[in-house]
Amino acid sequence: MTFRVWAPNAAGASVVRPAEPVEPTAPLGAEPGGWWSADVDGAAVGDQYHYVLTLAGGPVRRLDPQAPHVVNSVGEAIVYDHAAFAWPDVGYVMPGWTELVVYEMHVGSFNPPPTGGVGTFAGAEAKLPYLHDLGINAVELMPVGEFAGDSSWGYNPGLPFAVESAYGGPDALKAFVAAAHALGMAVVLDVVYNHLGPSDNDLWAFDGSLDGAPGGIYFYGPPRGRTPFGDTRPDYGRSEVRDYLRENAQAWLEHFRLDGLRFDATGYVRNIDGGNDSAGDIPDGWRLLQEINDDVDARQPWKLTVAEDMQGNDWVTRPTGGGGAGFDAQWDPDFVRLLREVLARPDDRARSMDVVAGLILRRYSDRAFARVVYTESHDADANGGTRVPKQIDSDHPDSYWAKKRSTLGAAIVLTAPGIPMLFQGQEFLESWWFSDDHPLDWSKTETHPGILALYRDLIRLRRDWFDTTRGLRGAGVDVHHVNDADKVVAFHRWDAGGPRDDVVVLANFADRAYDGYVIGVPRPGTWRVRFNSDWPGYDATFGGQASFDAQTRHGAADGLPWSIGVGLGPYAAVILSQDD
């Protein structure tokens, strides 16, 4: 078995297998470029090992930077064979990007054992049928690279190639992916390349410190090395470091068969301050992002790459050939921030329908699906934030108002152009702010079964399960009705247009009901109500404002030649389309 490590400033290197009675070492031979390697007889899968590097100050113990399996972040590396995992043949094909409905999940808190401790891949896998029934077809895992301790958000990877041991290690992740694929669900993983560690960071001063760079060969020195997450920004200017991160991305996509990557805080990869000021640009960081995206496009172009850039920078989702970073999509920071503000305002008069209209129309790189839209995420629901129902009603997050307006927000997420995303527990009105050591309250699926059904119905319409709402998967959008006086908006979605394609969404952001609210529609005939969030079946406190199928009138409205009158409840959304 071959062992190989990059340590250009070491005078010597060897591999140690502590299980041997006298801990014999196998010396590694020097290679060009600062690499050391050797074929070690008798080494087998499951063996524990570490490297010993000979430095000026004496020998130091180091873990293998590319080990996919470790005892823990301060333990030994474990010899692992990716080819040994028996992947089942399930005939999996990744869903089209226009069909994706993403569910962000933190493995440690999603479904931990009732006896205590952190959640595992096996525990999360047990809930995949639940997510499949809900209509989810893409799970986004928060980072699972080995981190310090057993409980963490995951954004402090100490060993980027290793799968967190507390979650079950590499085979358990592969089993999770295989189970998701068997249900037709994609798995997307968060990766962290803007910093590493900082705790239990075995790459720090890996083969000693260098002048101006206390972190050594893997890291920039100050001030460029500083980030808000730790002073451990990788040195993207070194080709070996860029290759290391590129190979990490490839490993997740190819060895673990993941279907996409979401890149954490890309602003801090491409810019010292994480913003758009060109004075702080890091050209080599931008180059790294381009190289990874070019790799994915060349090797597995059907897989998705998403940037959490949060700066509204259109260049992030432009093609690399034109100077962009090449991401397929990026999180939309304005959508989550502004829509939550609109939903949370206690006074209806303070809600701006112009803001809502702008959020629906927003797109990056002139592509409708180049953004991820959401009202809840791990960041939005933590770091001083809270869940949407609690933001609406801090004392009673399960009140009528909290349920009404949070589900109205969900209706906008699942009908606006973009890739919609939910955060774990959002679908059953979880109100506890996100914390890595606070498990989801699954009893709320029984407390709020109607809210869960509402999300299920919305997701199925978004995915056009019934061949009646194809337009929700299309790029076409026109916000044709903006009534800021009464706080109502309506918008038209379409793909090719026509029956079962054209969709009209009507949303009421005020505490007032209508027997027949008039809006324009693009085609004559009968418009059928596919969804009415005011239905009492979703919650007994909902008013049940009748919203019947509507026949068009000859009168024009909203710049369209036809109009209909639709029943509309307070803080409610209605979705309509035609059969023929």
Side-chain angles (χ1 to χ4, degrees), residues 448-507:
H448 304 296
I451 300 297
L452 185 60
L454 180 151
Y455 274 87
R456 183 184 297 113
D457 289 348
L458 277 172
I459 291 169
R460 291 179 177 182
L461 290 173
R462 170 63 179 78
R463 292 184 55 195
D464 189 29
W465 270 35
F466 311 109
D467 189 31
T468 57
T469 51
R470 198 173 311 123
L472 294 180
R473 294 171 51 188
V477 60
D478 175 29
V479 182
H480 61 283
H481 182 90
V482 180
N483 179 354
D484 198 53
D486 294 318
K487 308 307 177 186
V488 179
V489 296
F491 54 99
H492 171 207
R493 294 289 315 280
W494 71 93
D495 182 18
R500 298 176 177 268
D501 187 317
D502 285 305
V503 175
V504 171
V505 181
L506 180 61

Side-chain angles (χ1 to χ4, degrees), residues 94-103 137-140 186 188 261 302-307 317 327-332 335 360 362-364 367-376 412-422 462-463 472-474 493:
M94 183 176 178
W97 297 347
T98 64
E99 189 185 355
L100 291 179
V101 177
V102 180
Y103 188 94
N137 61 359
V139 175
E140 180 183 318
V188 177
L261 300 174
W302 61 89
K303 295 194 173 182
L304 180 72
T305 61
V306 178
T317 40
F327 284 96
D328 300 311
Q330 60 178 304
W331 280 20
D332 188 341
F335 192 97
I360 294 167
R362 174 74 177 273
R363 58 179 61 195
Y364 292 103
R367 290 186 287 120
F369 293 90
R371 65 173 184 165
V372 175
V373 294
Y374 57 99
T375 56
E376 296 202 13
I412 300 299
V413 167
L414 286 158
T415 57
I419 299 174
M421 183 182 77
L422 306 180
R462 170 63 179 78
R463 292 184 55 195
L472 294 180
R473 294 171 51 188
R493 294 289 315 280

Side-chain angles (χ1 to χ4, degrees), residues 86-107:
W87 288 95
D89 183 8
V90 296
Y92 169 75
V93 177
M94 183 176 178
W97 297 347
T98 64
E99 189 185 355
L100 291 179
V101 177
V102 180
Y103 188 94
E104 188 187 16
M105 174 193 299
H106 175 255
V107 174

Side-chain angles (χ1 to χ4, degrees), residues 89-277:
D89 183 8
V90 296
Y92 169 75
V93 177
M94 183 176 178
W97 297 347
T98 64
E99 189 185 355
L100 291 179
V101 177
V102 180
Y103 188 94
E104 188 187 16
M105 174 193 299
H106 175 255
V107 174
S109 63
F110 178 64
N111 186 34
T115 54
V118 299
T120 63
F121 293 119
E125 181 183 332
K127 288 290 187 181
L128 287 177
Y130 158 84
L131 293 178
H132 179 261
D133 178 69
L134 183 62
I136 297 298
N137 61 359
V139 175
E140 180 183 318
L141 299 177
M142 290 172 63
V144 302
E146 186 71 30
F147 47 73
D150 291 343
S151 182
S152 169
W153 287 21
Y155 298 98
N156 55 329
L159 293 163
F161 280 78
V163 180
E164 172 57 36
S165 52
Y167 291 169
D171 277 359
L173 173 57
K174 290 180 178 180
F176 177 88
V177 173
H181 286 176
L183 293 171
M185 301 168 65
V187 183
V188 177
L189 177 68
D190 284 16
V191 291
V192 185
Y193 298 146
N194 56 75
H195 76 290
L196 299 174
S199 53
D200 290 359
N201 183 3
D202 218 50
L203 299 181
W204 186 258
F206 187 76
D207 64 354
S209 299
L210 303 176
D211 291 341
I217 55 176
Y218 280 96
F219 301 96
Y220 285 122
R224 180 165 280 190
R226 294 175 184 149
T227 78
F229 323 109
D231 296 346
T232 57
R233 180 183 277 124
D235 185 348
Y236 313 122
R238 287 180 177 266
S239 61
E240 295 89 349
V241 175
R242 287 200 312 278
D243 288 346
Y244 177 74
L245 298 175
R246 288 174 61 182
E247 290 168 10
N248 181 258
Q250 292 168 11
W252 294 121
L253 294 175
E254 297 179 9
H255 292 316
F256 292 93
R257 301 194 182 184
L258 292 159
D259 304 290
L261 300 174
R262 178 267 197 191
F263 291 61
D264 178 64
T266 55
Y268 288 96
V269 175
R270 60 177 181 78
N271 187 278
I272 290 177
D273 300 315
N276 294 327
D277 184 357

